[in-house]
Amino acid sequence: MSTAPEPPVRSDFIREIVAADRAAGKHGGRVVTRFPPEPNGYLHIGHAKSICLNFGIANEQPGGICHLRMDDTNPTTEDPEYVQAIQEDVRWLGFDWRDKMFFASDYFERLYDFAVVLIKKGLAYVDSLTADEMRRYRGTLTEPGQPSPHRTRSIEENLDLFRRMRAGEFADGTHVLRAKIDMASPNINLRDPVLYRIRHVAHYRTGTSWCMYPSYDFAHPLSDAIEGITHSICTLEFEDHRPLYDWVVEQCETPRRPQQIEFARLNVTFTVMSKRKLLDLVERKLVNGWDDPRLPTLKGLRRRGFTPEALRAFCEAIGVAKRDATVEMQLLEHFVREDLNKRAPRVMAVLRPLRLVIENYPDGQVEQLEAVNNPEDASAGTRRIPFSRVLYIDQEDFKEDPPKQFFRLAPGREVRLRYAYIITCIGVVKDPNTGEITELRCTYDPETKSGGAQAQRKVKATIHWVSAAHAVDAEIRLYENLLLTDPAKIPADQDWTQHLNPRSLERLPSCKVEPGLASIAPGTSVQFERVGYFCADPDSKPNQLVFNRTVTLKDAWAKLEKAQTPR
RNA sequence: UGGGGGAUCGUCUAGCGGUAGGACGCCAGCCUUUGGAGCUGGCUACCUAGGUUCGAUUCCUAGUCCCCCAGCCA
């Protein structure tokens, strides 16, 4: 398979390094990257940035390839369910690892051998301090650490102890294997980091073959080296692990020496990205599972109606750099709108129905009116929608006492019904007890039918509608920001969930949508004209459709209204 | 107060000694049978102070501020 490399749309400091390395013949001119998630949670949009970067770079280079590797060195939190989900998400995003799917757990035996090499070189030792003691010996940010009393164990004793650790002779926490580097290093990562810890826990892939597991700092660089990774791209917090990364590949004398490069992770306003917080939301049932459309998980975004194209365009637009950055949610929304505007068929849906009767329209008459499916795409064609005497319009499109600049329906006013007629409101029916408006009485002008003689007449507004007798029932779920505050601005001593937006989900159970939608497949995106982009939810049933609002349309009136009513 | 990083429009991001550019956002207007889309115009930035230089966002010096690190997590 020799697909031509894709030209990079824009460059960044990492692509510059890769290009320079390639030009200089470093790594034999090869470019091999990897995306190395730990299968202990679901992927989110921050991972998407990393996926787009790693696969993007590989795809741009002749012969370049990106591996998918499960960094599964901690059996206590990992699960095959996540492995499955991660693969689905990466594929859904549009990337292909071909046959390069790997597991760090497949390297356990080789990793063990590397550890033995280190011990034999006098560069690793078995320590028997408790976790607490080890912490005290480590020193602090400003004070050097002290050597463990076990630091001087003989190579023979270390070899023996390490073998017995593997054999299962010791309980959890009684011994660890540590690198022997420098307890006085100003870089705390170099103060004899732990390489192996005992955990009598079954691993989801290796079962009970092992009762000790390598740490990230040991397994990661070696996994990269084993796979021949050339550029090991990770986030900023690993920057001061790089000397350790280099030490491990150097001292283990691996034939290949990958190079670690760090970039700033993605933050997005009004949402959370940390695994801990996401898990918190799911476990405390503050959201409805990992695919809750309010979550920035890829599963959540997919269910919400975000497309892979939009996500990739977003990841490209945000760039790659080293400074901490928080991208505005509006940028993400911009890219879904841009994508869906080109592709989503237009349909009409009424979210909060208000009954409207056209007094001079013949009772029992039904017309099939022609409507354009997508003004941005002529090939999408047209469809027929039924029109009759009794309709529903959205409550928002009528005001008994319209404010300035409100162009829609009001007593005595006329508006166009999209693809239909111009109507005039001649009466308002109210519930005698509550005063609530229950029905609008209108007349229509038969000459103003769409495409007809008077159709060109200018009116201030066009509103959407559905025919009451023909409409299909639907539940529509509206979403807003998960948080009211940017997580970065929440004080650390505060429970961040206090800042959750109580209106992040609003269910509208009694919506009416046009009949053509009756058999829409879950996952399909449409535009509800004048309202927003929506995606059919898997909860949909034949006579009870469910839609998720992906994003609103830009709304000039909402902005005006907000400006007019100072709080 | 140790070490590692980073500071450019409101937000991301470009710049590699020679007029500070792009995207989102915002504002104004045009257009419109979606107050959508589209189009036009506009808005706002080099952390500070010195120095080198004909010329500094870029190089040097000294500060300031922000982020990360004291897991047997990754």
Side-chain angles (χ1 to χ4, degrees):
Chain A
M1 181 157 84
S2 61
T3 37
E6 301 162 8
V9 182
R10 65 182 289 177
S11 194
D12 53 67
F13 80 99
I14 297 180
R15 276 176 241 252
E16 278 176 18
I17 292 171
V18 171
D21 286 351
R22 194 187 169 78
K26 202 168 166 184
H27 307 294
R30 295 173 310 121
V31 174
V32 185
T33 57
R34 103 266 93 113
F35 174 61
E38 185 189 12
N40 68 349
Y42 293 92
L43 263 26
H44 53 64
I45 191 165
H47 293 112
K49 177 179 180 180
S50 173
I51 294 167
C52 289
L53 216 209
N54 279 294
F55 280 91
I57 287 173
N59 291 344
E60 288 153 19
Q61 298 293 334
I65 179 87
C66 180
H67 297 182
L68 176 60
R69 179 170 74 233
M70 298 300 145
D71 211 353
D72 52 357
T73 57
N74 183 1
T76 55
T77 56
E78 295 155 7
D79 193 291
E81 177 196 345
Y82 296 122
V83 174
Q84 183 65 31
I86 288 166
Q87 293 182 80
E88 278 172 22
D89 284 346
V90 174
R91 247 185 244 115
W92 175 75
L93 242 198
F95 296 101
D96 178 12
W97 55 88
R98 296 189 243 170
D99 60 340
K100 306 299 185 188
M101 168 89 197
F102 299 109
F103 295 83
S105 52
D106 283 348
Y107 308 141
F108 282 173
E109 194 62 47
R110 296 166 79 175
L111 262 21
Y112 179 85
D113 293 341
F114 278 121
V116 169
V117 168
L118 252 24
I119 294 171
K120 287 182 175 165
K121 289 172 83 171
L123 293 173
Y125 63 99
V126 173
D127 199 357
S128 312
L129 255 25
T130 65
D132 206 49
E133 289 168 330
M134 207 185 286
R135 190 178 329 116
R136 286 198 294 272
Y137 274 89
R138 187 152 36 225
T140 68
L141 293 179
T142 51
E143 300 161 292
Q146 300 300 320
S148 162
H150 309 111
R151 199 175 199 259
T152 51
R153 285 215 254 238
S154 70
I155 290 174
E156 290 66 33
E157 190 182 0
N158 283 322
L159 250 16
D160 178 60
L161 251 16
F162 190 51
R163 182 187 54 73
R164 290 164 61 197
M165 279 169 65
R166 176 179 184 169
E169 292 187 22
F170 306 118
D172 287 8
T174 53
H175 304 280
V176 292
L177 185 74
R178 300 179 73 176
K180 191 187 286 187
I181 307 181
D182 178 6
M183 286 308 291
S185 173
N187 180 346
I188 290 177
N189 296 297
L190 263 18
R191 318 238 263 231
D192 291 8
V194 169
L195 268 23
Y196 270 88
R197 70 283 211 200
I198 299 172
R199 286 247 207 295
H200 288 269
V201 171
H203 186 281
Y204 76 100
R205 294 190 83 242
T206 60
T208 52
S209 321
W210 294 86
C211 61
M212 65 177 189
Y213 295 90
S215 65
Y216 168 87
D217 283 316
F218 187 62
H220 202 89
L222 291 174
S223 300
D224 284 344
I226 288 168
E227 291 176 21
I229 301 300
T230 57
H231 302 269
S232 178
I233 301 166
C234 64
T235 43
L236 251 28
E237 68 268 28
F238 294 105
E239 210 154 16
D240 48 19
H241 290 239
R242 193 181 342 126
L244 177 53
Y245 183 103
D246 291 340
W247 184 93
V248 171
V249 290
E250 166 90 24
Q251 298 304 336
C252 290
E253 299 175 44
T254 60
R256 303 257 165 102
R257 304 286 164 85
Q259 168 187 8
Q260 176 179 301
I261 307 169
E262 311 85 11
F263 71 99
R265 63 167 356 117
L266 170 66
N267 298 290
V268 179
T269 54
F270 302 111
T271 191
V272 291
M273 219 69 93
S274 88
K275 271 183 185 173
R276 207 209 92 231
K277 287 179 177 161
L278 255 12
L279 189 65
D280 225 26
L281 290 173
V282 173
E283 285 186 339
R284 290 168 63 184
K285 303 216 185 300
L286 297 167
V287 296
N288 307 311
W290 286 99
D291 63 345
D292 188 298
R294 289 170 288 186
L295 257 23
T297 53
L298 296 184
K299 284 162 77 80
L301 290 165
R302 184 187 323 163
R303 187 165 180 184
R304 171 94 166 242
F306 281 76
T307 61
E309 289 81 359
L311 257 25
R312 279 189 258 124
F314 171 77
C315 288
E316 197 165 278
I318 59 177
V320 178
K322 293 192 75 157
R323 86 181 77 142
D324 295 318
T326 301
V327 176
E328 290 176 337
M329 187 60 94
Q330 293 166 115
L331 187 64
L332 216 204
E333 294 181 344
H334 162 79
F335 284 105
V336 227
R337 286 196 187 100
E338 185 178 72
D339 185 38
L340 261 15
N341 177 48
K342 290 180 296 195
R343 308 196 304 185
R346 272 58 169 175
V347 292
M348 292 198 282
V350 171
L351 307 205
R352 297 174 179 88
L354 206 209
R355 195 175 142 93
L356 182 155
V357 178
I358 303 172
E359 295 190 347
N360 60 340
Y361 194 86
D363 205 1
Q365 177 174 309
V366 177
E367 286 182 89
Q368 296 292 333
L369 303 176
E370 186 175 50
V372 172
N373 287 330
N374 186 347
E376 304 292 319
D377 177 11
S379 73
T382 61
R383 69 187 183 286
R384 297 274 168 184
I385 45 179
F387 181 86
S388 64
R389 188 169 194 265
V390 182
L391 311 174
Y392 290 116
I393 66 165
D394 248 310
Q395 287 168 20
E396 285 187 357
D397 287 334
F398 175 83
K399 279 202 194 309
E400 194 171 19
D401 186 17
K404 251 199 182 75
Q405 313 248 41
F406 183 86
F407 301 148
R408 283 109 94 151
L409 204 56
R413 284 234 200 135
E414 61 175 18
V415 296
R416 168 171 294 284
L417 294 175
R418 180 81 158 149
Y419 296 123
Y421 299 91
I422 293 174
I423 57 165
T424 304
C425 177
I426 58 166
V428 176
V429 181
K430 293 181 183 175
D431 183 304
N433 298 318
T434 64
E436 183 196 356
I437 299 171
T438 56
E439 185 178 289
L440 263 24
R441 307 298 291 190
C442 297
T443 59
Y444 84 117
D445 176 353
E447 300 299 308
T448 59
K449 182 170 170 178
S450 226
Q454 295 294 313
Q456 300 313 310
R457 215 173 84 207
K458 295 291 176 204
V459 288
K460 284 261 197 162
T462 297
I463 65 172
H464 57 94
W465 53 274
V466 293
S467 168
H470 304 88
V472 176
D473 291 329
E475 172 182 322
I476 295 180
R477 298 173 183 167
L478 305 182
Y479 300 101
E480 286 181 16
N481 291 334
L482 222 206
L483 289 172
L484 294 169
T485 318
D486 281 337
K489 292 177 187 158
I490 300 173
D493 58 341
Q494 237 177 61
D495 177 9
W496 69 278
T497 61
Q498 296 303 303
H499 296 262
L500 287 170
N501 178 3
R503 287 211 288 261
S504 58
L505 166 62
E506 182 181 6
R507 289 167 189 257
L508 302 177
S510 319
C511 308
K512 301 285 184 180
V513 304
E514 61 173 74
L517 254 24
S519 57
I520 189 171
T524 307
S525 286
V526 292
Q527 183 195 99
F528 290 163
E529 291 217 36
R530 305 207 307 128
V531 181
Y533 295 99
F534 292 78
C535 185
D537 191 87
D539 286 350
S540 294
K541 295 187 179 58
N543 287 310
Q544 182 59 36
L545 300 171
V546 177
F547 290 93
N548 296 311
R549 182 171 72 194
T550 309
V551 65
T552 61
L553 249 29
K554 284 209 266 183
D555 188 347
W557 165 244
K559 209 177 264 184
L560 262 175
E561 201 178 26
K562 204 176 168 188
Q564 280 179 0
T565 53
R567 67 255 81 132

